[in-house]
Amino acid sequence: MRSGIRVYGTIVLAVIAFAVVPLRVGAQSAPQVARSADGVVVAAQPLAAAAGARMLELGGNAADAAVAAAFAISVVEPSMNSIGGRNQILIRTPDGGVAGIDGTTSVPLGYDPATAPRAAYGYPTIGVPGSVAGLMRLHEEYGSLPLTTIMAPAIDYAAHGFRLLPGEARRQAGSRGQVAESEGARRYYLKADGSPYSPGDRLVQSDMAATLRAISLGGGDAFYRGEIAGRIADDMAANGGFLTREALAAYEAEDSRIVRGAYRGFEIVGSDIPASGAIAILALQIAEVFDPDSMSDEAWAAVIAQSLALAMAEYRRPSSDSSAARVTSKALAHELSEQVRVPVEARMESGAAAPRAAAGAGGSGLAGVVEGLDLPPEDGHTTHLSAADGNGMAIALTQTIGPGMGAKVATPGLGFLYAVTLGGYLGISEPGERARSGITPFMVLDDGEPFLVLGAAGGIRIISAVVQAVTRVIDDGLALPAALAAPRVHPDMGPDGLAGFSVEASPEDGWSGTSVEEFREMGFEITPTPRQGAFGRIHGLQYDAATRTWIGAADPDWEGAAVAPRPAGANGSN
């Protein structure tokens, strides 16, 4: 194992990073690290994490906490997700089993790709929402508290309002012009004079509260078959949308195809198409061929970037059990590893032997591997939350509406935004087809016990973020909070294959200028990216089996929080 305390760029990261870390950005004070034997909830907005933790205080389990947090985050982080969007859920049950729920948006029945307009936003981009179905199934099959109890925090946030954090206010303002084109979206996310809300403003969403209240009383049927469905369908018909009552009524949250692999003795688990767990597994298993202790941190990062590029070439493969088995096989990983160039000229760790160069080390070995790969935009959307309880249940849940503010459309009277699904954004067109994405809820198990529970936001960089968080913990010996603060890389795809890679260069937690120059000396084209949050945002959990304690960590590049349940009797809790 590599040294537990290492220097990355301009910051020092320690293995022991369990102290409460304050929220670095935003007007809301909230811890970004929490530790508890009774479970932890981590989400991209403090109010959502608090909603989940409240369910644990009430005696609920991780599924209750995740559903509460997911409905709450749809209210308090609407630029990133919505009940009109999609989700992917990975579940570890107390008995050690793993299951998944696919709540991905789908192409409506009757949709004709030959005549449908190609659009980036608006009514013609709206498919069948899956978020509500996914959350209902999680509650029905794994939850323990009444749905009315679980949804109460989200309803309260919507009905009485909450203060906008700076990041959320900035994202809403960035879509101001497009939001103004939709009567409903304009009503809910712009002021009466057409200006966007500012950080610290109170956002009240009365119509959203009414919609959530109806779901809390009527479950999924209230959304997919009741009055809400009728209002959705009427709005779509009047404005050129394709979503119908029939398409809503026919939608079901499906079982995810669970995929498994291994990384340095740990079991790694994810969800396959339409999620990208198999891609993350392949990238890790390619990287496993190489010895990080034999090279510098920069050289190891270059290996990771190449492993990710090779794995992402499988992004557009067809969905089947046989193809999933192939992608997650060690045989394929070893075959692809021969195309990775180990930078032998890189600065070596003190006393380390020179790393071997893989076959074809004279060139990148990746030319043409990713040619023509059509991936979604790389950042600016999606949210992820993780929840665990004291009985061994853990949930990794990713929820999204696509690019910021999704389709920029809300049905008047309902209060929520819809996801972008159609129009060419996700490359799908056949009725019933589900939207492929980089969403990657993920778990690492140690002899069957949970070790890491995580996922990310950020388009295709979700995969990169998840892979690097896992390697930082397993290979570098970092605790999860420190692993999330470590700088990341991401492969840049060009028409002839790997064009180089982007490197995180934000002042707080990026690679140093010296490291950037070392990357370039290895012969790679490097794009330093100083913007915070550009390399994915992870909200995850680590389990310490020795103390039977969960450690929750929110990505320091975002406004999220980790919240543990308060002890019984503390501050009025039960």
Side-chain angles (χ1 to χ4, degrees):
M1 181 175 287
R2 306 172 84 191
S3 172
I5 300 179
R6 307 183 63 81
V7 177
Y8 297 101
T10 58
I11 58 174
V12 176
L13 305 175
V15 169
I16 304 301
F18 296 151
V20 171
V21 178
L23 189 65
R24 191 178 65 203
V25 292
Q28 238 166 284
S29 176
Q32 291 205 294
V33 178
R35 179 178 180 133
S36 171
D38 297 322
V40 178
V41 181
V42 192
Q45 213 276 6
L47 293 174
R54 179 58 178 157
M55 299 306 111
L56 299 179
E57 293 169 359
L58 293 173
N61 60 23
D64 298 317
V67 174
F71 275 115
I73 199 85
S74 71
V75 174
V76 299
E77 199 185 36
S79 66
M80 299 282 97
N81 80 116
S82 167
I83 61 171
R86 50 186 169 268
N87 53 30
Q88 283 280 336
I89 308 168
L90 192 62
I91 306 131
R92 195 267 182 185
T93 58
D95 63 2
V98 177
I101 297 172
D102 172 10
T104 304
T105 51
S106 65
V107 179
L109 303 174
Y111 178 80
D112 183 357
T115 59
R118 295 183 67 83
Y121 66 96
Y123 282 90
T125 69
I126 297 170
V128 188
S131 290
V132 172
L135 297 179
M136 289 299 98
R137 185 170 175 190
L138 178 60
H139 171 254
E140 291 162 4
E141 297 185 6
Y142 299 95
S144 62
L145 295 176
L147 186 60
T148 51
T149 299
I150 290 170
M151 293 185 65
I155 295 169
D156 181 71
Y157 296 153
H160 298 102
F162 64 98
R163 300 289 181 185
L164 276 181
L165 294 180
E168 179 62 25
R170 183 174 59 253
R171 292 187 295 275
Q172 291 189 22
S175 297
R176 171 186 176 184
Q178 296 164 328
V179 164
E181 297 176 28
S182 162
E183 177 190 347
R186 181 173 65 250
R187 178 192 303 179
Y188 301 129
Y189 299 106
L190 295 176
K191 297 178 181 178
D193 64 359
S195 63
Y197 288 90
S198 300
D201 284 350
R202 181 173 291 277
L203 181 62
V204 176
Q205 302 169 82
S206 300
D207 287 349
M208 177 69 157
T211 296
L212 292 173
R213 193 172 293 111
I215 296 170
S216 76
L217 296 172
D221 281 348
F223 185 88
Y224 290 97
R225 297 171 183 85
E227 180 183 351
I228 295 171
R231 297 180 75 167
I232 292 172
D234 290 345
D235 185 36
M236 297 295 150
N239 291 281
F242 299 99
L243 186 51
T244 64
R245 287 175 181 265
E246 292 75 18
L248 284 161
Y251 185 88
E252 293 184 1
E254 299 178 346
D255 291 341
S256 298
R257 179 185 288 110
I258 300 301
V259 285
R260 301 173 185 264
Y263 186 73
R264 306 202 196 282
F266 292 87
E267 184 178 10
I268 46 181
V269 185
S271 304
D272 196 27
I273 294 173
S276 290
I279 306 301
I281 289 172
L282 177 56
L284 284 166
Q285 292 184 160
I286 294 171
E288 185 185 29
V289 174
F290 302 94
D291 177 15
D293 287 336
S294 69
M295 62 187 81
S296 69
D297 298 322
E298 291 80 5
W300 177 238
V303 168
I304 292 294
Q306 294 173 84
S307 299
L308 285 163
L310 288 160
M312 287 177 184
E314 299 290 334
Y315 188 88
R316 292 298 181 197
R317 66 185 170 83
S319 175
S320 70
D321 291 338
S322 59
S323 64
R326 171 185 169 272
V327 171
T328 57
S329 69
K330 288 294 183 79
L332 178 61
H334 278 262
E335 176 186 333
L336 293 176
S337 73
E338 294 299 315
Q339 301 181 54
V340 174
R341 177 168 63 86
V342 178
V344 294
E345 68 274 23
R347 173 179 55 84
M348 307 311 303
E349 297 286 349
S350 176
R356 72 171 179 85
S364 73
L366 291 163
V369 167
V370 291
E371 185 175 1
L373 187 59
D374 178 24
L375 299 177
E378 293 183 333
D379 53 30
H381 52 81
T382 306
T383 198
H384 179 83
L385 63 93
S386 299
D389 58 34
N391 296 316
M393 178 182 283
I395 309 291
L397 189 156
T398 310
Q399 195 158 271
T400 188
I401 50 176
M405 306 296 281
K408 282 83 173 176
V409 168
T411 295
L414 295 184
F416 61 86
L417 293 165
Y418 296 96
V420 173
T421 297
L422 311 174
Y425 165 66
L426 292 169
I428 62 175
S429 60
E430 298 303 320
E433 190 175 358
R434 300 203 169 199
R436 180 79 164 91
S437 75
I439 287 175
T440 310
F442 208 70
M443 295 188 185
V444 179
L445 308 178
D446 186 5
D447 289 331
E449 293 295 317
F451 180 59
L452 294 175
V453 177
L454 69 166
I460 198 62
R461 295 192 183 197
I462 289 171
I463 304 169
S464 300
V466 167
V467 165
Q468 286 168 91
V470 171
T471 65
R472 291 297 192 190
V473 173
I474 293 176
D475 293 318
D476 293 344
L478 298 178
L480 184 60
L484 300 191
R488 299 171 191 154
V489 298
H490 179 76
D492 293 332
M493 311 304 192
D496 298 321
L498 182 69
F501 51 94
S502 298
V503 299
E504 189 170 9
S506 58
E508 291 85 359
D509 49 19
W511 295 95
S512 69
T514 300
S515 293
V516 171
E517 288 308 309
E518 289 188 26
F519 286 130
R520 288 179 171 142
E521 289 171 5
M522 297 173 197
F524 296 102
E525 291 293 327
I526 301 300
T527 304
T529 305
R531 180 166 48 86
Q532 287 185 344
F535 288 79
R537 290 88 61 187
I538 290 179
H539 295 88
L541 301 162
Q542 183 174 9
Y543 185 66
D544 182 348
T547 61
R548 303 186 67 81
T549 301
W550 288 99
I551 302 96
D555 199 299
D557 267 3
W558 210 246
E559 297 170 318
V563 180
R566 294 168 295 182
N571 299 317
S573 67
N574 294 324

